[in-house]
Amino acid sequence: MTDMTTTPEGDQEPQVSTRRTTRRGGGDPAARGRTTIADGVVEKIAALAARDVVGVHALGSGLARTLGAVRDRVPGGSKSVTRGVKAEVGEVQTALDLEIVVDYGVSIGDVARVVRENVIAAVERMTGLEVVEVNIAVSDVKLPEEEEEEPEPRIQ
């Protein structure tokens, strides 16, 4: 704020009054702390992104799916969304390993490419981490006549 005052000689002298603003903490608020992302968070994002791809029947090997189905039936247990996904998360980068089962008749190379693209896009968008690699292992092909590998319940 500038005020003009007149001196006895008729000259005008600017008088400047300033207001001091106090900034606490200094710097950008977004830079005041650290955010860590658990491996399980990245695994869950990747699993959901992979399941969205047409041609992916399931995640995980046959044994892992069978054991998971048994675990899902245990009272108090929860479904394992991350079955078939393993993530290694650093401060700014992550790497993922996925094990998938594809539907019979689809191009495995095309499905793997789309899974990789979907997973990278979802993880980078949601976490801000750079995805350095997505390794995909195709462990099985789901044939149209195959039934789901659900174990029979012990109690009827």
Side-chain angles (χ1 to χ4, degrees), residues 134-149:
V134 177
N135 299 311
I136 298 173
V138 179
S139 63
D140 201 359
V141 174
K142 167 70 169 77
L143 301 175
E145 64 275 358
E146 285 181 336
E147 291 184 26
E148 289 297 314
E149 300 170 4

Side-chain angles (χ1 to χ4, degrees), residues 15-51:
Q15 286 185 332
V16 179
S17 65
T18 59
R19 290 187 186 155
R20 291 190 176 236
T21 56
T22 306
R23 289 191 66 164
R24 296 190 179 124
D28 180 20
R32 294 187 208 167
R34 197 172 79 170
T35 303
T36 57
I37 300 171
D39 293 1
V41 171
V42 174
E43 289 169 356
K44 195 173 282 190
I45 293 167
L48 294 172
R51 283 188 177 92

